[in-house]
Structures are given as C-alpha cells and as structure tokens.
Amino acid sequence: MKVRTNTAGVDTSPIRLVIHGGAGTITPSKLTKELERAYTQVLAQSLTAGHAVLDAGGSSIDAVIAAIVVMEDSPLFNAGKGAVFSNAGRIELDASIMDGSTRMAGSVAAVTTIRNPIRAANAVMTKSAHVMLMGQGADAFAAEMGLEIVDPSYFHTQFRWNQLQKAIAEERLMQDHDVVPDTPQPQMDEKVDEKVDEKRGTVGAVALDRHGNLAAGTSTGGLTNKRFGRVGDSPVIGAGTYADNRSVAVSATGTGEIFIRTVAAFNTAAQVRLQHIPIIEAADNTLAEIAALGGDGGLIVLDAKGNYSMRFNTRGMFRGSIGSDGIVQVGMFADDDRAVFTSNSHGTR
C-alpha cells in the first residue's frame, strides 16, 4: 500500500481537497504516455475546480461536487460519461455525498438519465426527507429538481460496449482497474482506448473548507456485466462514503461487496474517533480486513486539521490533492505523487 500524507505540524492549510479515480492494476506498462497525460489533465482539472470553491470560501460539499462533476463528465473514469454497461446493455449509475458538519447524507442508485449523479445525491440530501433514492424514482426526482437530464445514449461509448461484449463472452464481471489490457501500447481513440480502458473506475472526493467542515462524495458506473440491478458500495453511506467533523471524511473504491460487508468508510472513521488511531493506520486496518475477505481497493481519508492519506492495496490508484497553496499533486502508480502546477491566483504555473 502506498500513500502521500501530510501530518500535523506540517500542513496548517485551512482548506484541503483530495480525490481518487479508482484503484487496481495501474502500472506504467498499462498506459501510454498520451493516456497518462490525459489522466493527469483531468485529475488536475478536478482538483482546480474543487479548489476554486474552497479558495473562495465555499463549502466542502460544493467543492466535492465540483471536483466529482469534472470526472463524471470525462470518459476517462467509470462514472457519468465513462460508465460501464450492465449485462442488459444499460448504464446504471450510483453516487452518494455526506456533510460532516451535520451528518446529513444523500445518494442515488441505478439511475439512467441524470448527467451528474453526484448532483442528484446532493439534491436528495438537501431537498428531500430521504437518504437514498433509486431507479426511475430517483431519475424523476432529479428532473423535478431541475437537474440536467440526458438521453441514456449520452453515456454510451464504443469502448465500453466492446468491454461488455468481452465480459459476456468470458462469462465474468469486470471490476475497476483490474483487467490486464490486451496490449500495453494501444492507440488513442475517443481519448481512451477500449483495450486499456478496462482498468478505470469509481471516482470520489473529500474536502475540508475554511469553516472546518468536512464532506465526502463518491460516484460510479459499477461493474461491467453486472446483473439483477446490482448496487455496490458507492451509494451506501458508511460503506463507500462517510464524513464526520469529529473524525474524518472518507471515499472508497474497490471490491464493492466487501466494502459493504466491512462498512469500510465508517469503519475507518470509527477507528479515528473512538480509538484515536492515526488516519494512515486506520485506513490500513480497513484495507487489511477487506483483503482478508478477498477484496482490494483504496481509500482517501481527510481529517478536520487537513491531514490526509491516500491508501491502496492494489498496484495503483488514480489520485490527487490540493491545499491552500494551490499546488496540484497527482499520482497514478506506486510512489509517483508529483506536483503538476500551482493553480491559485498567488502562484505561477
């Protein structure tokens, strides 16, 4: 497991945003330089979008939404535009969000017409008496709330369709970032080649605003070739997403069923709040429990002091962080977290 983490006494930033774009078999041999640059660009755009909210004094909730929307609108990740197909040839999207100051939460599952499911999850949290809505009811609620509704064909991409056909032929599910591509050096097509795209996944963000409030959000298209209305951990509060000002904000990615069974996000937060375990150790404990049950994945964790960790027990995880200094840092492989550029108005590129 690899991490980039700031500790108390090092990071005195009043704001912080951390993101992930899925964990799995992510190694330099799996990505062309062109594709690596494409991932870097979108991760940086996501971080700068969320940072702009925080830097202007906006809420951690709004920062999480801004960051995730960028990734939902990109075909590079299994969320929104880049979502995978179910066995029935449908795109079924899940998302959740949680406010650490109030522990209010909202989520949607198996939606098919909402361009940005993270916005719908926020609408459930703020404009309804519920926590989770699903399927046609969630789609209808989003439309009533004035969110952008699209034809399901908006989400259809040829490389995802080809991925489904391969999964059906091999009679298996395809999980985030875990399938070895057919070739290590594919040519780019629609920004992402179908052969290398099989290892992309769930997106998430955690944020701390100037008011000291935490928030977390997660969005996904689930598993390629999933059946029977399967829903994973991403829209389940406490499994894929959790935020509590008394402890941490967490967003998860990985083997969804096992993240649900271990209540991974809440598990991590409870260790920090009740046992006073450091955030790195808490994340590692959770991932060890997941591994013991046959799963893998990653967690991003952020506390109310701005300390953060990005832990994973896979070969890599798309990830990044930005604080009040505006320095965008991204990583994909093990030990490759790097500064990309300074995004705030006080710095230079």
Side-chain angles (χ1 to χ4, degrees), residues 22 135 141 170 184 198 213 232 267 273 286 307 309:
F141 171 78
E170 297 177 2
E198 294 169 357
N213 294 324
N267 186 341
R273 183 170 72 89
T286 300
N307 306 313
S309 66

Side-chain angles (χ1 to χ4, degrees), residues 292-345:
L293 295 178
D296 62 19
L299 299 166
I300 54 173
V301 186
L302 174 66
D303 72 16
K305 295 181 179 178
N307 306 313
Y308 68 99
S309 66
M310 300 181 280
R311 302 295 278 186
F312 49 97
N313 59 7
T314 57
R315 299 288 297 278
M317 181 169 74
F318 292 109
R319 60 198 185 273
S321 176
I322 189 170
S324 62
D325 57 9
I327 297 176
V328 173
Q329 294 178 315
V330 302
M332 300 177 198
F333 319 119
D335 296 319
D336 77 334
D337 297 87
R338 58 195 182 276
V340 179
F341 61 85
T342 301
S343 68
N344 68 0
S345 58

Side-chain angles (χ1 to χ4, degrees), residues 71 73-77 81-82 157 159 190-192 197 200:
M71 293 186 282
D73 285 347
S74 169
L76 285 172
F77 301 97
K81 180 62 177 175
T157 52
F159 62 84
E190 197 179 353
K191 295 187 179 180
V192 183
D197 183 63
R200 302 177 300 149

Side-chain angles (χ1 to χ4, degrees), residues 269-294:
Q271 292 178 60
V272 174
R273 183 170 72 89
L274 301 177
Q275 297 178 276
H276 309 292
I277 293 176
I279 60 175
I280 298 174
E281 184 180 348
D284 286 352
N285 289 343
T286 300
L287 290 171
E289 185 176 353
I290 287 167
L293 295 178

Side-chain angles (χ1 to χ4, degrees), residues 11 22 41 54 63-64 109 117 182 192 200 204 212 237 243 293 348:
D11 182 9
Q41 181 179 17
L54 296 174
V64 162
D182 297 330
V192 183
R200 302 177 300 149
I237 301 302
L293 295 178
T348 57

Side-chain angles (χ1 to χ4, degrees), residues 200-267:
R200 302 177 300 149
T202 298
V203 306
V206 292
L208 171 67
D209 62 32
R210 294 193 186 280
H211 307 288
N213 294 324
L214 293 167
T218 312
S219 181
T220 190
L223 298 177
T224 297
N225 200 28
K226 63 186 178 183
R227 300 181 66 189
F228 310 117
R230 180 264 184 187
V231 174
D233 65 303
S234 295
V236 179
I237 301 302
T241 301
Y242 194 74
D244 184 346
N245 282 4
R246 301 173 299 174
S247 56
V248 291
V250 184
S251 177
T253 176
T255 313
E257 280 71 14
I258 296 181
F259 277 70
I260 294 173
R261 287 161 57 189
T262 57
V263 201
F266 177 77
N267 186 341

